[in-house]
Amino acid sequence: MTVLSIIRDCLDALLHPSARYDALTRARHRAFMAPRLLGSLAAFAAFPVYLVLRGAPSAIEVAAFAWLIAPILLSWFLSRTGRYEGAHVLSSLALAGLIMAIAATTGGIESFAAVWLVVVPLEAALSASRRVAAFASLLALSCAGLLILLGQLGWLPLEHAGATERGVMMAFGVASATLYAAGLAFGAESLARTSVALLSREEERYRLLARNMSDVISRHQRNGAVQFISQAAEAMLGMPVAQLLGHGLFDRVHVADRPAYLTALSDAARGDVRSVEFRLRREPTGSERSQIDFIWVEMRCRPLDRDPGRDLTREAEVVGVMRDVTDRKLSEQALDQARDAAEAADAAKTRFLATMSHELRTPLNAIIGFSEMIAQEQTLMLGAPQRKEYAELINASGQHLLSVVNGILDMSKMESGNFEIASEPFAPRAALMHCCNLLALKARENGVDLITDAPQDLPVMTGDPRAFKQIVLNLVANAVKFTERGGQVAVSAAASASQLTLCISDTGVGIAPDDLKRVGAPFFQCGKTYQRRHEGTGLGLSIVKSLVALHLGELTVQSRLGEGTAVTVKLPLVYTPPQSKASDKRPSESKIATLTPVLRQETQDRPQDQPARVKKSA
């Protein structure tokens, strides 16, 4: 351990607690106390030697040595109170008093001690206070003026020293003042070097934080103009910081979020702390040049702390801290989708129970009731015609029950990915005409005209003929069912180079816009359950939708309430089943008709007035 470190530790132990936690303040207090304590101790050590060489001291010499106690008292004052400026004021007064006392007895303004008046403001400059420096300057000038006045009035004692002695004393005064001023200069340089080192260290620390923080720190005017923004914005938005200054950041805020952005800044400028979430346009890179991407940003803004000497009439400024919360937003959207899916599943279960309780109970009641009547034919004395009629009703109810169960099983197979398509060549016109002929009787009973337009030259297509017939039967049966008496159902087919287009239109009741969005969902039926006038499980269109998707086709439903419905089905003329390994086979993705999540920018840019339309593409 060196002597300097020991001295520094001793000085640090004398510092006031308020100066121990700031490096620059600690250095200033140490620079004030060290020379005074060391000078006083050195003077006291030299006093006995001075007595041996000089003899009995004069009154002036005793006063000069007594003055050496003042620096110790000043150091004690600073150590106890921590008032750095006050200590410098007392030091200036003590030094000026000593100079006045010596100069008044050694020639006044012409004394060797008068040169030391120049040192008084120089010493006060170390306080880094303009008030203290101004006070010391006025004090030195006042002392010089007083010495001149006293000399003119003849109130000063006459000096009896010769010219040689005056010259020696003047040289001593100039040399000592110069040495003291040099010490002050070195002390000021040491404080300046310490200040620069501390400033450089703080700048490096803040530069480290600014470069490595993922959050973006910005400084805004009340109108949103950016005055400063950290380098982290380049990584977040993919563009230089210079382009974000001024209104560059505001121009990248999504149009729909700009009011909330400006409102948060305005509220923060008035003194409130605000947090706002908005979208920022990110600069695309590489292969994303043709795409527009937005990221979600959370900004917490608060008013900028005002400096005590700052003009209060200036416009308030705001400090904002921004961070990318896109992942959190995507998680929230995923949770919302999962919640919607759970609610839809719960609603589907409710619809399933409501529908099945009617569709299953009705044929089962008929089967049980008529079978009990046949079992009691002797008691009821039933004849052969009645038994035949009851048997036909039982058979019809069983067939209806079987069709309901088959529909549920087919839908379950499709949703689980286990529905297999047997692809083979077949004539679509013959299958279409066969289905229309099967439903012609039902159409006549309902008073509906069934019109079929199928060209003779329809080409042979490759696919599952059973699935094709099920598609046509379900669509035509629904059209006939929901068309009032006197209405019309038109079935047409046309072929292009690669696909077959089926169109089934009717003049029935139509579908409301709210219901049109959910058409094709399992067990969903338009209208309220208690208002239904037609039987059915709500699986017909859902099965059609899944079968079309399995054939890599498209289904489009267009309808207006009270004007009718038009369903268009486009199927490929040649269907080739996808070839995949068993380990890679994922039926739920390859066969099931599911909704695809839409990208953020697509969701935002989608027009709100798009007509209601259901379209499914595999």
Side-chain angles (χ1 to χ4, degrees), residues 193-207:
R193 187 171 60 252
T194 302
S195 177
V196 170
L198 293 175
L199 180 61
S200 177
R201 189 183 307 168
E202 290 297 320
E203 288 181 351
E204 183 63 28
R205 184 181 304 169
Y206 285 114
R207 191 179 297 112

Side-chain angles (χ1 to χ4, degrees), residues 155-177:
W155 292 355
L156 296 177
L158 296 177
E159 184 181 8
H160 300 286
T164 303
E165 188 177 355
R166 286 200 307 269
V168 172
M169 295 302 293
M170 183 61 67
F172 172 76
V174 172
S176 60

Side-chain angles (χ1 to χ4, degrees), residues 260-324:
Y261 170 79
L262 293 177
T263 300
L265 291 177
S266 179
D267 292 343
R270 289 196 295 266
D272 299 332
V273 178
R274 288 289 181 265
S275 181
V276 62
E277 293 181 355
F278 54 91
R279 288 160 288 184
L280 278 177
R281 187 173 73 253
R282 184 175 62 88
E283 190 69 20
T285 57
S287 59
E288 302 177 353
R289 284 291 178 185
S290 60
Q291 301 179 357
I292 299 177
D293 188 21
F294 284 87
I295 61 173
W296 278 97
V297 171
E298 179 187 23
M299 182 175 73
R300 186 171 181 82
C301 46
R302 62 175 181 82
L304 180 66
D305 294 335
R306 293 179 180 268
D307 296 332
R310 186 179 176 186
D311 186 7
L312 298 179
T313 60
R314 292 185 58 185
E315 185 180 16
E317 296 179 352
V318 177
V319 174
V321 179
M322 294 181 290
R323 63 178 53 184
D324 187 351

Side-chain angles (χ1 to χ4, degrees), residues 234-472:
E234 293 187 359
M236 178 183 291
L237 300 178
M239 63 182 307
V241 169
Q243 298 183 18
L244 298 174
L245 298 178
H247 292 284
L249 181 65
F250 175 77
D251 293 338
R252 307 193 74 80
V253 178
H254 195 277
V255 176
D257 299 334
R258 290 179 181 178
Y261 170 79
L262 293 177
T263 300
L265 291 177
S266 179
D267 292 343
R270 289 196 295 266
D272 299 332
V273 178
R274 288 289 181 265
S275 181
V276 62
E277 293 181 355
F278 54 91
R279 288 160 288 184
L280 278 177
R281 187 173 73 253
R282 184 175 62 88
E283 190 69 20
T285 57
S287 59
E288 302 177 353
R289 284 291 178 185
S290 60
Q291 301 179 357
I292 299 177
D293 188 21
F294 284 87
I295 61 173
W296 278 97
V297 171
E298 179 187 23
M299 182 175 73
R300 186 171 181 82
C301 46
R302 62 175 181 82
L304 180 66
D305 294 335
R306 293 179 180 268
D307 296 332
R310 186 179 176 186
D311 186 7
L312 298 179
T313 60
R314 292 185 58 185
E315 185 180 16
E317 296 179 352
V318 177
V319 174
V321 179
M322 294 181 290
R323 63 178 53 184
D324 187 351
V325 293
T326 305
D327 293 338
R328 192 194 73 191
K329 280 291 185 178
L330 292 178
S331 299
E332 292 176 357
Q333 292 178 1
L335 289 176
D336 291 340
Q337 292 179 358
R339 187 183 302 108
D340 293 341
E343 292 175 355
D346 184 69
K349 179 194 70 174
T350 303
R351 291 195 303 269
F352 171 78
L353 294 177
T355 303
M356 290 301 101
S357 63
H358 171 75
E359 296 297 331
L360 296 180
R361 186 184 295 112
T362 300
L364 283 176
N365 286 336
I367 292 173
I368 294 173
F370 288 116
S371 60
E372 288 179 351
M373 295 179 68
I374 293 177
Q376 300 176 9
E377 61 176 346
Q378 295 182 354
T379 305
L380 299 176
M381 294 181 294
L382 299 178
Q386 290 177 319
R387 289 197 302 272
K388 181 180 179 182
E389 180 183 0
Y390 294 163
E392 290 176 351
L393 292 174
I394 293 173
N395 181 268
S397 299
Q399 293 294 334
H400 176 70
L401 184 60
L402 179 61
S403 66
V404 172
V405 174
N406 284 336
I408 297 174
L409 294 178
D410 288 343
M411 195 64 214
S412 300
K413 289 181 179 180
M414 293 176 189
E415 289 187 347
S416 62
N418 295 324
F419 190 90
E420 297 182 358
I421 293 180
S423 182
E424 62 182 53
F426 70 95
R429 184 180 187 279
L432 179 64
M433 297 304 296
H434 176 71
C435 294
C436 292
N437 292 334
L438 289 177
L439 295 172
L441 178 60
K442 183 177 180 180
R444 285 197 301 268
E445 292 176 353
N446 291 348
V448 176
D449 293 335
L450 179 58
I451 303 173
T452 305
D453 182 13
Q456 296 287 341
D457 57 349
L458 282 180
V460 176
M461 65 182 298
T462 302
D464 191 335
R466 181 177 63 88
F468 180 83
K469 291 180 180 180
Q470 192 169 2
I471 292 173
V472 176

Side-chain angles (χ1 to χ4, degrees), residues 23 83 91 102 203 220 303 346 401 433 467 481 547 555 591:
R83 296 172 61 182
S91 178
I102 297 175
E203 288 181 351
H220 305 256
D346 184 69
L401 184 60
M433 297 304 296
K481 181 193 302 184
L547 290 176
L555 173 67
K591 293 184 178 182

